[in-house]
Amino acid sequence: MSARPKPRPRPLRVGFLPLTDAAPLVVAQVHGLFARRGIAVELRREVGWATIREKVRLGELDAAHAPAPMLWAMALGIGCPPTPVSTAFILGENGNALTLATAIGQEARTPEGVREIARRRREAQPLTLATVYSLSSHVLLIHEWARRCGLSAERDIRIAVIPPGQMYRNLVAGTIDGYAAGEPWNTLAVNAGAGWCPVWSSGLGPPQAEKVLLVTERFAETRGEEHAALVSGLSEAAQWCDSPASRPQLAAILSGPRYLSVPSRLVAPSLSGRFDPGHGGPVAAPDFHVFHRGGANAPSAAKASELQAALVRGRLIPDGPDPELPGRLFREDIYAQALAAAGHAGSPRP
């Protein structure tokens, strides 16, 4: 009597939002880098970060593309029950911009003008900017821009939370005056003449971890081999994404209907190193997206501590969190072990 064959494990369910900074996940899937490591992955396009958070928390997703600060939100129980989570891979740095509605007018082109608009509208109709998630680098970007304009984001600006894919429609409808979001949603507004970008994350100072591969601690502990394969495949994909020679093909891949579902001409500008903010012509922005270089993927405790400090300064998390928390959330040990086990992988085959 022949032995019954072992059942094939179900594919890992990995969530993502249609954003350019999901590129390593998409490339690893399209180029077969996960399959090459013996794991089946099902990429699931989701509608918003709260959906990602809940599906990871409830086990409907095994892992997900997520804003790095979501780790703190879930671990500390901000907006959801406390959930032990971590990351062993940073998907990239930078990638966001602030877009203001063209309808605001020329007055907003200077910090003094912005300050006057915000103060004039403070009581009756506050200057309203949208962010993609209440605890994210996008909120920190709004805070920093407001500070540079001589404003307080808490006092002078109303911040709304809207999924990235709905930002542009709300801008055109006039329900918001601007938004902080990832690409290609800023370029979409610029291309349509509906908005312009006064600032973007790579121009604000030292880079911070932007998106991460989010998993629960339960997944990390019980699915170690698959987790390591995810990390290894993503590392190879991120290296490919960071090559200037790969960027035109990357824009074409991401534009597809299963991923961003927008024309590649809207994906390409932020990847090209020449970002168009919608005023004054394209500008040099070689670090608008950093997917791999400079050790971008390593989830070090130092990076986690820097991000935690920024979240405290922005009053997005309570002051005085557990000093051991950064090391629990950013698992550089798992990252290093996964890459060591994989050895040196080659470049993805087109």
Side-chain angles (χ1 to χ4, degrees):
M1 187 173 181
S2 60
R4 183 176 298 175
K6 290 183 178 180
R8 296 180 64 183
R10 65 163 175 78
L12 293 177
R13 301 161 300 191
V14 179
F16 75 99
L17 257 57
L19 291 161
T20 302
D21 58 25
L25 277 168
V26 173
V27 167
Q29 181 78 325
V30 169
H31 284 166
L33 304 183
F34 294 138
R36 200 183 300 173
R37 288 159 172 82
I39 57 170
V41 171
E42 178 184 306
L43 290 187
R44 296 188 175 186
R45 191 169 72 175
E46 303 292 347
V47 297
W49 296 122
T51 303
I52 289 273
R53 179 196 66 204
E54 291 305 293
K55 288 189 174 183
V56 169
R57 187 175 69 80
L58 297 173
E60 295 178 34
L61 291 173
D62 298 300
H65 164 232
M70 188 182 285
L71 292 160
W72 278 262
M74 295 182 73
L76 297 172
I78 300 173
C80 68
T83 307
V85 290
S86 65
T87 186
F89 194 84
I90 296 172
L91 292 163
E93 298 170 340
N94 304 330
N96 301 321
L98 174 65
T99 293
L100 296 180
T102 305
I104 294 177
Q106 291 293 319
E107 187 179 10
R109 295 300 172 100
T110 66
E112 296 77 15
V114 171
R115 190 160 60 244
E116 178 58 30
I117 291 170
R119 289 176 175 169
R120 189 169 63 235
R121 293 176 49 179
R122 187 187 298 167
E123 301 301 327
Q125 188 183 7
L127 186 65
T128 301
L129 302 179
T131 183
V132 299
Y133 187 62
S134 59
L135 196 64
S136 67
S137 59
H138 311 78
V139 179
L140 296 175
L141 189 155
I142 291 173
H143 278 239
E144 177 60 20
W145 173 77
R147 187 190 67 78
R148 293 184 180 201
C149 290
L151 296 170
S152 163
E154 295 174 299
R155 183 183 65 247
D156 301 311
I157 295 172
R158 175 186 292 162
I159 298 179
V161 177
I162 299 175
Q166 297 178 23
M167 294 287 197
Y168 174 71
R169 279 175 280 171
N170 279 272
L171 187 80
V172 172
T175 56
I176 57 175
D177 297 300
Y179 55 75
E183 282 292 290
W185 307 115
N186 305 291
T187 294
L188 175 62
V190 167
N191 187 263
W196 62 283
C197 303
V199 69
W200 44 96
S201 51
S202 65
L204 284 180
Q208 287 183 332
E210 173 51 37
K211 299 300 191 304
V212 299
L213 181 71
L214 171 71
V215 302
T216 61
E217 278 298 290
R218 178 179 174 80
F219 177 83
E221 291 168 1
T222 62
R223 310 286 287 275
E225 289 187 7
E226 292 160 296
H227 191 197
L230 281 173
V231 169
S232 172
L234 286 170
S235 180
E236 186 177 349
Q239 186 173 0
W240 184 86
C241 290
D242 234 10
S243 167
S246 302
R247 295 295 179 91
Q249 186 182 352
L250 177 58
I253 291 170
L254 291 172
S255 71
R258 302 170 90 181
Y259 306 115
L260 273 61
S261 193
V262 298
S264 60
R265 61 183 171 80
L266 298 179
V267 183
S270 68
L271 292 169
S272 70
R274 296 282 297 170
F275 179 66
D276 186 354
H279 63 96
V283 297
D287 293 334
F288 196 100
H289 294 284
V290 176
F291 293 111
H292 178 75
R293 62 188 180 276
N297 306 132
S300 69
K303 291 179 186 178
S305 295
E306 288 174 8
L307 182 52
Q308 180 167 289
L311 295 172
V312 169
R313 286 194 302 272
R315 299 183 183 179
L316 301 187
I317 64 173
D319 199 357
D322 182 352
E324 302 296 322
L325 185 58
R328 293 201 302 270
L329 297 180
F330 275 36
R331 296 295 304 273
E332 191 171 18
D333 56 334
I334 296 176
Y335 168 80
Q337 290 163 11
L339 296 195
H344 296 285
S347 299
R349 290 186 288 268

